[in-house]
Amino acid sequence: YMGTGGLCMGMLGFVRSGVLLCQAGRAAAGSKVGGTAIVMMHVGAPENGDMIERFYQRLESDTFVTHRTLDSSSVRSWEEGHRSLGGYTSPLKLWLTKQSQQLCSALDQQHPETAPHKPYLMFRHSGPTADEILKTMQNDGITRAVAFLQHPQWSCSLGGTCLNHLWSSLTSLGMENTFQWSVIDRWGTNSLFAHAIAKSVQDSLDQIPFFARKRGVLLFTAPSVDVGSLAMGDTYVQEVSETAHTVMQQLNYSHQYMLAWTKSPFQVSSLEPNASQMIQSLGAQGRDAVVVIPVDATCDNFQTQYGIDRLMRQVGQSAGVRHFKKLPGLNDSNSLHKALVDIVLKHFAGQTPHSHQYRLRCPGCTNPECRRVINPPQK
């Protein structure tokens, strides 16, 4: 396993049931037994076009969020999008695998007191599931686990449902005392994460001709969530806005900027303004240079590669936005790697099982199980 004893020689990694395995090189003699699991958690994504409808049906039936009705036209649109990309396969699992391997290798060197660190992936609505990974962790002799949400900003509909499902799975499997858990529940304002985005923004701006670049607009985007969850007190909009401001601080507010939301696949009241409509309006104003900056994800995915890079680009070009740039995913970049390591090291140094905000339940929430941590480490 990556991170076992800090050594993984003759790298030949692959993914199986969400556990990142290494073909050669086991732990050095005398290494500590057990270790710390770094569990990269995400709602998941359909891996290909055939899985889209099933994926969204699982989202629709998620009992940990408010009731949602699937928009069948959106599902058909995504299926057509997958086909138009020629048998597209989601890279989400690939990039999270690489990120977590690199992260655990660095943690073994920089934080040996919690080593060995072992990476796992856990997806809410696509495999590998919580039940599968918890059983694997138990078989691997894991004693401590960090639930590391891969949604930088907190949302009850995203990271919240991942954690609620994790606690539910631990209870149903009778594993409440098997691992000591802590949670990295939000990190959208981490300075190194903001720096990674800002560097990529500057690289994109540098590709635009000078005079168009000067009047360019930076459009931060994130997926819309149900307005009903916000009415209960979900801080999602606030946190996405804070990420945008932190990035702009890194850029010294060099350009005008705004925040807009991409479409939800559900028949719900969505957040406004809509990103595609804003690009159309910017084009109508004569703004011919727009850089779209998805801040909700650390890697390329179908939403960014099709929803933004293709559909939104077409909207922009039709509206006169001649210089349309979509920020590439950070993927396995060195700047993102440094940010992830910094986030986990600060979590270990903080000696707390979660962020200061985590225990603040939405005032309108009726789920008594929200915002808990099962079997946290003792101080």
Side-chain angles (χ1 to χ4, degrees), residues 41-46 55 90 92 122-127 151 162:
M41 302 184 69
H42 196 279
V43 293
F55 174 80
S90 171
L92 178 66
M122 186 182 290
F123 293 163
R124 174 69 182 101
H125 296 296
S126 59
H151 302 279
C162 291

Side-chain angles (χ1 to χ4, degrees), residues 2 95 129 153 209 237 248 256 268 279 310 313 326 351 370:
M2 279 296 300
W95 291 124
T129 64
Q153 304 85 16
V237 172
M248 290 307 302
Q256 294 174 324
V268 296
I279 288 179
R310 176 170 291 197
R313 181 183 297 276
K326 187 270 295 178
Q351 299 293 313
C370 279

